[in-house]
Amino acid sequence: MILQSLDELSTYVYPQAQIRLCLANVTDTSRTLERNHLCGPIAGLVQAEMVGAAALLGTLLERPGQTITLRTLFPEGLLGGATIECSQAFHIRGYTRQKVLPSLDDSEAPCEELFDRALGHTAHCSVVRAEANGASESACFDLKLKERLTITDIVEEYFCTSLQRRVLVQLSAMSKLGYVGCAHALLCEFLPEAEDVCYDRIAARFAEGVVQDTLDAGASIGDVTRVLGLETPQRIGSTPVAFACPCSSARVMAMLRALPQQELREMAAAGKPIDIFCHMCGKCYTITPAQLLALMSD
């Protein structure tokens, strides 16, 4: 299922500074997943940052049918973990392990302390790039920080350490009335010819929180360019970003058809419909006893 979205990821270059920049608006996609999974405020915002992460990781895909998946476990955090997937067509789906965190969601407004408790300070991460033919390659790494852990830290670690690319990353998700109000993602990559002094200057802007504030305000490329102190960029192109999941009634029925006949018989004999949820998108498929009996006769 694919929903219409106004989200997009745009790529720009700054020839003089030797910088490539990717700026993504993932607000609609984040809201759709939040609604589908019935997320509380904290899980919804973390999931929104994961959606931004997926959009940036999607820039690594080149061939139709490829996907890239970020899986995170937070052993110290109440959220437990999160998984997000992006296809080469920038179709995104995913979920958090815990959808509602009563001890955190009841707070008046999200704050850093709440996210510290949701994520903890340790993350076990894996990034899997898969081909259409099923072949895949993966990178696994752990993060343990004394200060607060963020999804931004995880994405930046993958690009800088696993891929050996000099990048700065910033993810942003803001809440409005308890729901995702906006969500953006920014990747600033310094090409081999970029000067260290340029990197240090722009890294300082990220560290100061100015880039975060700019994204929180729903930044345009002009805003980002001005904050980073760069010349007018050249736009390379843009691509739509949207929520999508390939789950379907036909796939659910095919999965049930593979079950043993005795198990199907017992399910049908109960005389009640069964609900099967897609954990990646939250969609519910209700299967009736009559459908189960029909499977047994196929």
Side-chain angles (χ1 to χ4, degrees):
M1 179 176 62
I2 301 177
L3 300 183
Q4 184 177 5
S5 171
L6 299 178
D7 292 352
E8 69 173 6
L9 180 141
S10 299
T11 302
Y12 305 85
V13 294
Y14 299 84
Q16 185 176 337
Q18 287 295 294
I19 288 174
R20 181 178 73 97
L21 188 145
C22 297
L23 178 62
N25 178 0
V26 293
T27 302
D28 289 342
T29 305
S30 300
R31 287 173 175 168
T32 299
L33 276 174
E34 179 186 45
R35 182 174 59 251
N36 286 6
H37 289 303
L38 301 178
C39 291
I42 300 301
L45 288 176
V46 173
Q47 187 171 255
E49 291 194 358
M50 289 286 289
V51 171
L56 297 184
L57 292 170
T59 63
L60 301 172
L61 305 178
E62 300 174 346
R63 293 180 292 279
Q66 285 184 310
T67 61
I68 188 163
T69 303
L70 169 62
R71 297 189 179 97
T72 58
L73 294 177
F74 307 117
E76 303 168 355
L78 297 176
L79 194 69
T83 297
I84 202 79
E85 177 191 275
C86 182
S87 73
Q88 190 267 345
F90 285 91
H91 294 160
I92 296 175
R93 60 179 186 156
Y95 65 99
T96 58
R97 286 200 166 193
Q98 298 297 325
K99 311 297 188 293
V100 178
L101 305 171
S103 61
L104 305 183
D105 291 335
D106 293 339
S107 300
E108 291 186 3
C111 65
E112 289 188 2
E113 180 185 353
L114 299 182
F115 288 99
D116 284 345
R117 293 170 61 191
L119 302 183
H121 294 266
T122 302
H124 305 311
C125 313
S126 67
V127 178
V128 179
R129 281 197 271 184
E131 301 287 342
N133 63 8
S136 66
E137 60 180 36
S138 62
C140 299
F141 56 95
D142 295 336
L143 277 182
K144 186 173 182 63
L145 303 181
K146 292 183 180 180
E147 300 179 353
R148 66 181 300 239
L149 171 73
T150 67
I151 306 302
T152 294
D153 296 320
I154 293 171
V155 179
E156 199 167 270
E157 176 72 12
Y158 176 68
F159 273 97
C160 293
T161 302
S162 298
L163 300 183
Q164 294 292 296
R165 293 166 73 159
R166 190 163 59 155
V167 306
L168 295 167
V169 172
Q170 187 63 66
L171 304 175
S172 164
M174 294 291 290
S175 178
K176 183 177 181 181
L177 301 177
Y179 301 94
V180 173
C182 61
H184 299 86
L186 175 70
L187 182 143
C188 183
E189 180 172 9
F190 297 82
L191 304 177
E193 297 81 5
E195 297 181 356
D196 291 342
V197 65
C198 178
Y199 173 85
D200 293 341
R201 178 177 59 81
I202 292 178
R205 301 298 280 167
F206 275 78
E208 292 165 1
V210 179
V211 176
Q212 172 82 69
D213 293 342
T214 303
L215 290 186
D216 288 348
S220 66
I221 186 59
D223 297 325
V224 173
T225 298
R226 183 169 56 256
V227 163
L228 298 183
L230 295 170
E231 77 274 14
T232 302
Q234 296 178 6
R235 181 170 175 142
I236 300 303
S238 64
T239 184
V241 176
F243 159 78
C245 187
C247 70
S248 64
S249 297
R251 289 194 174 201
V252 171
M253 298 305 286
M255 179 270 293
L256 290 171
R257 190 175 290 109
L259 294 177
Q261 288 279 311
Q262 180 60 30
E263 190 170 344
L264 289 173
R265 189 174 295 109
E266 292 173 357
M267 292 164 63
K272 299 179 180 179
I274 61 171
D275 291 334
I276 298 177
F277 291 87
C278 173
H279 67 283
M280 289 295 282
C281 76
K283 184 174 176 60
C284 175
Y285 295 89
T286 300
I287 310 301
T288 66
Q291 288 176 297
L292 294 171
L293 292 172
L295 283 177
M296 295 170 58
S297 62
D298 285 350

